[in-house]
């Protein structure tokens, strides 16, 4: 497995261990890790602190994002996808989109290359979380 996707999975597991939603993300620039993050919506009582948003926040100011790749264990939602488009991040690599289809078409329609690895590890982690905490999951995706 790609080392950066493994880092994102580790971030997702960190979130789960903290009582949060198991979604992790890393930002890579020129083949080097710039930042990592995970969903902290529950831990920090912050409705917009999704995995990708936490990762980008942790990156700080990096200048141009045109030579970056963002990894996420789950297909980004429209909020995160909007940030990816706004920052002109050209490529997103996701662990899976089976449990949440997200905003793939939106990103692709704005020139973002989206690669879905369809990883069993990511699918199983989310399926287990959704099974165990459906209310928390539905709150996260605004399906209450």
């Amino acid at each position: 497995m790609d080392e950066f996707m493994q880092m994102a999975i580790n971030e997702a597991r960190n979130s789960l261990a903290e009582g949060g939603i198991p979604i992790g993300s890393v930002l890579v620039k020129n083949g080097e890790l710039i930042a990592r993050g995970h969903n902290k919506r529950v831990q920090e009582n912050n409705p917009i602190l999704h995995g990708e948003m936490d990762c980008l926040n942790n990156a700080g100011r990096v200048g141009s994002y045109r030579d970056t790749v963002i990894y996420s264990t789950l297909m980004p939602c429209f909020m995160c996808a909007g940030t990816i488009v706004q920052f002109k991040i050209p490529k997103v690599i996701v662990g899976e989109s089976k449990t949440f289809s997200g905003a793939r078409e939106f990103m692709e329609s704005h020139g973002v290359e989206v690669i879905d690895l369809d990883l069993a590890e990511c699918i199983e982690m989310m399926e287990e979380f959704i099974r165990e905490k459906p209310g928390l999951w539905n709150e996260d995706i605004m399906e209450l």
Side-chain angles (χ1 to χ4, degrees), residues 10-22 37-44 54 133 136:
N10 293 343
E11 285 295 317
R13 294 199 184 287
N14 289 344
S15 184
L16 188 61
E18 295 168 356
I21 298 161
H38 56 266
N39 189 304
K40 293 181 182 166
R41 206 179 56 75
V42 173
Q43 299 92 310
E44 296 192 14
D54 184 48
K133 297 186 178 180
L136 191 55

Side-chain angles (χ1 to χ4, degrees), residues 4-137:
F4 298 119
M5 181 53 70
Q6 187 60 60
M7 289 178 190
I9 291 170
N10 293 343
E11 285 295 317
R13 294 199 184 287
N14 289 344
S15 184
L16 188 61
E18 295 168 356
I21 298 161
I23 303 169
S25 182
V26 299
L27 183 68
V28 176
K29 185 171 185 171
N30 298 320
E32 293 185 26
L33 178 69
I34 297 297
R36 60 179 72 217
H38 56 266
N39 189 304
K40 293 181 182 166
R41 206 179 56 75
V42 173
Q43 299 92 310
E44 296 192 14
N45 196 30
N46 182 333
I48 63 170
L49 206 47
H50 288 196
E52 300 88 345
M53 302 299 267
D54 184 48
C55 178
L56 291 168
N57 185 58
N58 291 338
R61 294 179 60 215
V62 299
S64 173
Y65 292 84
R66 293 178 196 268
D67 53 358
T68 63
V69 176
I70 193 163
Y71 288 75
S72 180
T73 57
L74 187 65
M75 186 66 70
C77 70
F78 279 94
M79 176 181 67
C80 297
T83 303
I84 289 164
V85 168
Q86 178 69 30
F87 286 10
K88 296 180 174 38
I89 296 172
K91 187 177 196 176
V92 178
I93 300 176
V94 299
E96 66 107 349
S97 63
K98 179 182 176 191
T99 61
F100 182 72
S101 60
R104 180 181 192 143
E105 290 178 11
F106 171 77
M107 290 185 288
E108 289 176 336
S109 75
H110 287 85
V112 177
E113 179 185 2
V114 179
I115 298 172
D116 185 347
L117 300 175
D118 195 31
L119 296 174
E121 182 176 4
C122 292
I123 294 167
E124 290 165 11
M125 182 168 41
M126 285 308 301
E127 285 179 340
E128 182 177 341
F129 176 79
I130 293 166
R131 209 172 28 256
E132 291 179 3
K133 297 186 178 180
L136 191 55
W137 172 243

